[in-house]
Amino acid sequence: MTTFFKPEQTFLSGSKTLSRDYYLLPDFFAREIGQIFTRSWFCAGHVSRIPNAGDYFVLDAYGESIIILRDQKEEIHAFYNVCRHRGTHMCEETEGRFSKTIQCPYHAWTYSLDGKLIGAPLMKDVADFNKEEYPLHAVNLYVWQGFIFLNLASSPQPFEQVFQPVLDKFEGWNLPLLKSARRIVYDVKANWKLIFQNYNECYHCPPVHPQLAKISPFTSGENDLISGPFIGGYMSIEGASSLTLSGKVCALPVGDLAQEDYQRVYYYSFSPNMLLSLHPDYVMFHTIWPQSPTQSLIHCEWLFHPEAFGRADFHPEDGIEFWDITNRQDWHMCELSQIGVASRVYQPSPYSPREALPAAFDKNYLQIMNQEQ
Ligand code: FES
Ligand SMILES: [Fe+2]
């Protein structure tokens, strides 16, 4: 039995916003890359992006270029996009399909889709050269509920251990089977933490999202995950059947849902880069890619039941447009915040009790940043 709390019930009184350095200084950003992003499990995308053998996409993540692909045996792998010969960046496209191999464009070293070096012209003339010793550098990978998670650490904490609080939480939502209908990339001039803080409260909903606030009362939120790297809960849908422009459901239910889930949207943020929003008829997820202290790319994708596609009652745009409008309203507020916190007069200020989750996000963030390295 899951216990839910109103935000004000779990609010740590006295919580204040972060100081401006955290949103501005390149030194802090470098520490975040070193202490958070290159040590954590982060979401690279959903398996439905590479449905067939040979399909791949290339991700720029925290200064690294990574190829994520499905091999001939349907297994998913991630490799650094770095040739083992002279280090050349091999794959320039952002997505596509490999025939059966990956070939470096420079001197044609060739790798199988599971990363083995299988061709290296003239290298047999090199004494002691052994192809087995030069596979592509693999990235730690774990597929959880259809989402591909990667970790750049040399020996990361096991995924199941880190994700223990949510490991079995979304059974019934069919997440591994869902198919993507749309992906939008937003370029937002705001620090990545402002985006997490914004996602985790609806105190801003009446002024910022009149459309959303009309069908999902901003005070209806209750949270079951209230501290640590995974936080969130649900909000009610009232006077509508889903969060869509029409207010009607736009597709088949995504899963075998409990009765109450048809009138709820669940919102969870997984530090350091994923936001997962579960609606009765679609699942939206964001991944956040910090580019600098003041800029973030946000990938947003909408997933639907595989059998919904092609049916007469499938209107994905109804949900997608609803959230595209809402996303842009949020990003605009994050950009205004970024400008304001850069001012010399900005000081940490009290959070409201409705902002229990942003306060919890900051607390978890500071704990990691202040850990002895
Ligand atoms: S750098 Fe890739 S084959 Fe030479
Ligand atoms: Fe919002």
Side-chain angles (χ1 to χ4, degrees):
M1 185 66 185
T2 311
T3 311
F4 286 95
F5 304 92
K6 286 276 176 199
E8 48 274 25
Q9 288 177 280
T10 65
F11 179 65
L12 298 163
S13 69
S15 298
K16 288 190 167 184
T17 59
L18 296 174
S19 64
R20 70 197 283 270
D21 290 354
Y22 289 99
Y23 299 107
L24 286 179
L25 296 189
D27 279 9
F28 281 65
F29 187 71
R31 262 173 67 199
E32 290 174 347
I33 298 288
Q35 288 173 221
I36 299 177
F37 296 112
T38 54
R39 293 187 184 192
S40 307
W41 289 98
F42 59 90
C43 179
H46 189 262
V47 293
S48 63
R49 189 156 176 204
I50 44 173
N52 302 304
D55 287 350
Y56 73 90
F57 64 98
V58 175
L59 192 66
D60 290 324
Y62 320 121
E64 297 291 349
S65 175
I66 299 163
I67 304 170
I68 297 137
L69 61 80
R70 193 182 285 270
D71 72 12
Q72 305 306 127
K73 293 186 196 136
E74 300 280 311
E75 245 178 84
I76 293 177
H77 302 271
F79 301 110
Y80 285 87
N81 192 1
V82 175
C83 180
R84 291 302 307 269
H85 177 219
R86 276 164 58 186
T88 300
H89 179 83
M90 298 184 296
C91 192
E92 292 181 84
E93 304 295 326
T94 53
E95 58 191 0
R97 185 174 296 172
F98 294 119
S99 51
K100 286 196 171 96
T101 57
I102 306 172
Q103 189 170 67
C104 177
Y106 205 173
H107 314 93
W109 282 30
T110 303
Y111 304 87
S112 58
L113 296 188
D114 58 1
K116 294 188 189 79
L117 178 63
I118 54 172
L122 305 182
M123 290 301 288
K124 61 179 179 316
D125 299 343
V126 177
D128 297 333
F129 180 78
N130 210 335
K131 287 208 284 275
E132 291 82 67
E133 290 169 22
Y134 298 92
L136 291 176
H137 291 291
V139 178
N140 304 293
L141 178 145
Y142 193 99
V143 179
W144 170 75
Q145 291 288 321
F147 293 103
I148 302 164
F149 281 83
L150 305 179
N151 192 312
L152 301 177
S154 45
S155 39
Q157 218 186 327
F159 181 92
E160 292 99 326
Q161 217 174 66
V162 179
F163 270 65
Q164 199 279 326
V166 292
L167 213 49
D168 304 319
K169 191 169 176 57
F170 304 105
E171 303 288 339
W173 286 85
N174 275 335
L175 296 176
L177 302 178
L178 302 185
K179 270 176 62 181
S180 172
R182 185 85 176 272
R183 199 166 144 265
I184 298 181
V185 177
Y186 302 94
D187 188 351
V188 183
K189 287 173 188 54
N191 184 278
W192 66 279
K193 297 184 291 297
L194 292 172
I195 294 154
F196 267 87
Q197 291 154 357
N198 170 274
Y199 179 80
N200 277 299
E201 51 92 359
C202 209
Y203 184 37
H204 71 266
C205 291
V208 178
H209 310 301
Q211 197 81 18
L212 170 68
K214 228 182 278 170
I215 53 175
S216 192
F218 82 107
T219 50
S220 68
E222 297 197 350
N223 305 315
D224 58 327
L225 296 180
I226 54 172
S227 63
F230 312 111
I231 50 178
Y234 76 87
M235 292 191 59
S236 301
I237 305 170
E238 290 179 21
S241 302
S242 184
L243 302 191
T244 55
L245 288 181
S246 70
K248 298 179 192 146
V249 292
C250 63
L252 287 177
V254 281
D256 184 15
L257 307 182
Q259 200 50 44
E260 67 266 22
D261 295 342
Y262 286 93
Q263 288 300 314
R264 288 179 177 178
V265 180
Y266 290 89
Y267 298 95
Y268 293 99
S269 71
F270 299 170
S271 285
N273 90 321
M274 185 185 191
L275 312 175
L276 180 64
S277 310
L278 305 115
H279 306 63
D281 47 345
Y282 63 95
V283 169
M284 173 178 70
F285 76 101
H286 298 82
T287 52
I288 298 158
W289 306 97
Q291 304 295 302
S292 77
T294 59
Q295 188 199 2
S296 308
L297 292 179
I298 304 176
H299 298 191
C300 182
E301 199 155 343
W302 288 264
L303 307 173
F304 293 85
H305 194 289
E307 283 162 27
F309 290 75
R311 285 173 53 113
D313 58 0
F314 185 46
H315 305 292
E317 291 305 318
D318 205 11
I320 292 167
E321 278 173 33
F322 179 91
W323 269 110
D324 185 39
I325 293 168
T326 308
N327 279 337
R328 289 174 198 277
Q329 291 165 340
D330 278 327
W331 312 152
H332 183 55
M333 286 303 131
C334 293
E335 290 182 338
L336 295 181
S337 295
Q338 183 67 49
I339 297 168
V341 297
S343 163
R344 73 190 66 213
V345 298
Y346 164 74
Q347 292 288 339
S349 185
Y351 274 122
S352 86
R354 308 267 350 145
E355 297 168 291
L357 292 186
F361 169 83
D362 290 358
K363 188 173 174 217
N364 180 65
Y365 164 79
L366 288 173
Q367 252 165 19
I368 300 170
M369 285 290 274
N370 295 330
Q371 262 163 19
E372 284 298 318
Q373 296 305 309

